[in-house]
């Protein structure tokens, strides 16, 4: 079913070194002998040209131009313009499209303009826009990593299925290292954070408190803090300046997805610090958890709805005020939380969610 097909992926984030679920799905689908076309967000220029770039066997990235403000136009005009753009994109692909797999509601709310056999809508975030309703109506199948996302989508229950975040192949085949390659002070407890410092849901006061209260512990942040393929603007600049003033905080910067395991394997603890008191629905299942679990080391986190029954896998705070105390507990009992038994349990759990297995699950559901 999900083999030897022509598949168009519509992504809200561009193709680049930093990979999220839509990038990993594209790679996994291309390895099943599908011809996968990854449609980047548009450039806002006046041009009809479609740029078709080969990334690897069976995987190509499409860049195109689109005028701003199409979604604000009357429905019949908007649909007419998207139909013209879709025709140009189809012509550049040079074959009929079997599946449109869209991860966003802000473009092509009616993917039937591509004349596919199947339309899949796969939101990985909460979208508070009426545009999503248009897409939900025409989608044949809807997949999402949390119940919070699915519950807000009004359609027949049989169209919807929860599919957890996946684990990329380079995390599954990761070779564990004992030697510290980039850690500044190997003798210290070293804490890893991976994400985006421009992310709007960061719990900045709590994170500053944890770093400030633990001067003998080193904190490393891997991920973009300037504009990147997943971050269109630079924000939290003042917060970044405050962090840089701590002697025990190290800003590593963004790293290509396939290099993340060798960095992450050097940490003793993983910390996730978002404001889930305020954004419970939006933070119901962060993407990085599966990658953290695959490293085996203890995770200390804010409240995450999808894992509220998984206290055997990591330490989760009930609210933001509990997180600093929970972090201290992890540090004080690290021998227990990072025992071979606990490490192996987390790794085993994460490996159950490879993208190969997720695609098999989606394939079975569709069939």
């Amino acid at each position: 079913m999900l083999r030897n097909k022509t598949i168009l992926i519509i992504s809200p984030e561009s193709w680049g070194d930093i990979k999220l679920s839509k990038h990993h799905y594209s790679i996994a689908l291309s390895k099943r002998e599908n011809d996968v076309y990854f449609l980047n967000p548009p450039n806002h220029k006046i041009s009809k040209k479609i740029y078709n770039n080969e990334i690897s066997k069976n995987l190509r990235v499409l860049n195109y131009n689109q005028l701003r403000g199409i979604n604000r136009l009357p429905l019949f005009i908007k649909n007419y313009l998207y139909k013209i753009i879709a025709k140009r994109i189809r012509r550049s692909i040079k074959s009929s499209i079997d599946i449109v797999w869209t991860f966003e509601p802000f473009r092509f709310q009616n993917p039937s303009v591509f004349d596919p056999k199947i339309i899949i809508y796969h939101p990985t975030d909460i979208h508070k826009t009426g545009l999503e309703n248009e897409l939900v109506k025409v989608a044949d199948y809807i997949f999402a990593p949390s119940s919070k996302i699915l519950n807000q989508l009004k359609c027949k229950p049989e169209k919807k299925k929860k599919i957890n975040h996946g684990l990329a192949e380079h995390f599954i085949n990761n070779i564990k290292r004992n030697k510290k390659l980039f850690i500044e002070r190997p003798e210290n407890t070293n804490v890893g954070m991976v994400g985006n410092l421009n992310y709007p849901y960061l719990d900045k006061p709590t994170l500053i408190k944890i770093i400030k209260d633990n001067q003998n512990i080193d904190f490393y942040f891997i991920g973009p803090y300037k504009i990147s393929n997943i971050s269109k603007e630079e924000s939290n600049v003042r917060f970044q300046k405050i962090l840089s003033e701590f002697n025990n905080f190290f800003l590593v910067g963004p790293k290509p997805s396939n290099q993340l395991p060798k960095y992450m394997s050097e940490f003793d603890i993983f910390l996730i610090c978002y404001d889930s008191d305020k954004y419970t629905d939006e933070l119901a299942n962060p993407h990085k958890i599966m990658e953290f679990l695959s490293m085996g080391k203890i995770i200390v986190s804010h409240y995450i709805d999808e894992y509220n029954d998984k206290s055997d896998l990591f330490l989760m705070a009930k609210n933001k005020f509990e997180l600093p105390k929970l972090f201290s507990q992890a540090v004080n009992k690290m021998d227990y939380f990072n025992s071979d038994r606990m490490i192996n349990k987390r790794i085993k759990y994460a490996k159950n969610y490879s993208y190969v297995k997720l695609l098999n699950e989606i394939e079975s559901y569709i069939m």
Side-chain angles (χ1 to χ4, degrees):
M1 177 66 201
L2 292 178
R3 296 179 189 276
N4 301 304
K5 299 289 189 292
T6 299
I7 302 174
L8 178 67
I9 303 285
I10 302 177
S11 170
E13 289 92 15
S14 299
W15 192 268
D17 284 341
I18 302 168
K19 303 287 191 297
L20 302 176
S21 54
K22 54 279 294 179
H23 306 91
H24 292 307
Y25 271 109
S26 300
I27 293 168
L29 285 164
S30 71
K31 290 181 178 180
R32 295 166 77 109
E33 299 304 317
N34 295 293
D35 287 324
V36 179
Y37 293 84
F38 186 97
L39 187 65
N40 273 341
N43 294 310
H44 297 294
K45 298 177 181 178
I46 300 174
S47 173
K48 295 181 180 179
K49 189 169 182 180
I50 308 291
Y51 296 90
N52 190 326
N53 302 315
E54 185 176 15
I55 300 298
S56 61
K57 183 185 177 185
N58 302 327
L59 176 57
R60 305 184 75 88
V61 170
L62 301 179
N63 291 289
Y64 75 106
N65 301 299
Q66 173 184 304
L67 293 175
R68 293 181 187 274
I70 288 183
N71 288 328
R72 293 195 292 269
L73 297 172
L75 185 62
F76 74 98
I77 298 177
K78 178 180 77 171
N79 288 343
Y80 174 73
L81 292 175
Y82 274 135
K83 197 169 185 178
I84 292 173
I85 298 168
K87 188 176 181 180
R88 295 206 310 265
I89 292 170
R90 286 170 58 194
R91 197 181 299 131
S92 75
I93 292 175
K94 297 178 181 177
S95 65
S96 60
I97 297 171
D98 297 298
I99 300 171
V100 171
W101 198 319
T102 178
F103 287 84
E104 65 151 304
F106 299 105
R107 289 182 291 160
F108 301 106
Q109 292 84 17
N110 185 4
S112 60
V113 292
F114 293 101
D115 196 25
K117 297 180 178 66
I118 294 174
I119 296 171
I120 295 173
Y121 178 41
H122 198 150
T124 55
D125 298 295
I126 294 279
H127 296 294
K128 296 179 180 178
T129 171
L131 296 169
E132 191 171 53
N133 297 328
E134 299 177 41
L135 187 49
V136 167
K137 286 178 185 177
V138 299
D140 297 300
Y141 304 98
I142 299 172
F143 305 117
S146 79
S147 299
K148 296 288 188 183
I149 296 175
L150 289 176
N151 290 342
Q152 74 162 7
L153 303 177
K154 307 302 180 187
C155 64
K156 294 178 181 178
E158 57 268 25
K159 279 175 66 168
K160 301 187 289 187
K161 181 172 177 58
K162 184 161 66 177
I163 299 290
N164 204 347
H165 283 302
L167 186 66
E169 193 175 293
H170 49 266
F171 280 93
I172 294 172
N173 299 326
N174 174 42
I175 299 172
K176 298 292 187 295
R177 295 172 173 81
N178 294 320
K179 185 179 178 182
K180 304 289 186 183
L181 298 178
F182 81 105
I183 295 294
E184 294 280 338
R185 294 186 282 259
E187 68 278 6
N188 285 3
T189 296
N190 292 285
V191 180
M193 295 173 282
V194 181
N196 179 3
L197 269 184
N198 292 308
Y199 198 52
Y201 305 137
L202 280 169
D203 185 356
K204 290 173 271 194
T206 302
L207 181 55
I208 289 171
K209 176 176 172 52
I210 292 173
I211 295 172
K212 191 175 182 179
D213 290 350
N214 295 275
Q215 294 292 319
N216 60 329
I217 293 173
D218 289 343
F219 296 80
Y220 292 81
F221 192 97
I222 299 175
Y225 54 94
K226 295 184 178 180
I227 294 172
S228 68
N229 67 297
I230 66 167
S231 184
K232 296 176 183 176
E233 60 182 31
E234 222 178 307
S235 56
N236 294 336
V237 176
R238 183 172 174 272
F239 173 59
Q240 293 175 32
K241 187 176 184 301
I242 293 171
L243 290 175
S244 67
E245 292 171 356
F246 288 105
N247 293 327
N248 60 330
F249 178 82
F250 302 92
L251 191 57
V252 180
K255 297 296 173 186
S257 180
N258 61 1
Q259 291 185 24
L260 281 177
K262 74 177 182 182
Y263 285 90
M264 291 168 63
S265 63
E266 299 191 15
F267 297 128
D268 304 301
I269 301 174
F270 290 102
L271 176 62
I272 313 177
C273 188
Y274 298 145
D275 190 354
S276 62
D277 289 13
K278 187 175 181 180
Y279 302 106
T280 307
D281 292 0
E282 289 85 350
L283 299 169
N285 192 357
H287 174 260
K288 290 297 174 188
I289 286 183
M290 208 61 72
E291 295 174 358
F292 289 169
L293 287 169
S294 74
M295 296 292 107
K297 301 297 179 61
I298 181 63
I299 304 165
V300 182
S301 172
H302 63 268
Y303 175 76
I304 298 173
D305 192 70
E306 286 296 324
Y307 287 85
N308 62 11
D309 60 343
K310 298 288 189 300
S311 58
D312 56 328
L313 294 178
F314 59 95
L315 293 175
M316 183 196 302
K318 295 186 178 72
N319 55 63
K320 63 164 68 179
F321 304 106
E322 190 181 80
L323 192 60
K325 181 181 176 182
L326 211 60
F327 180 80
S328 296
Q329 183 182 333
V331 173
N332 294 332
K333 295 185 177 180
M334 201 158 57
D335 287 344
Y336 167 73
F337 290 119
N338 282 348
S339 64
D340 288 344
R341 182 180 70 85
M342 299 293 280
I343 285 174
N344 291 332
K345 189 172 189 177
R346 295 182 193 108
I347 293 173
K348 182 179 178 182
Y349 179 89
K351 285 185 175 181
N352 283 328
Y353 293 93
S354 69
Y355 280 98
V356 171
K357 290 184 178 180
L358 294 189
L359 286 177
N360 288 340
E361 186 178 353
I362 289 171
E363 186 175 62
S364 297
Y365 187 74
I366 291 174
M367 291 179 68

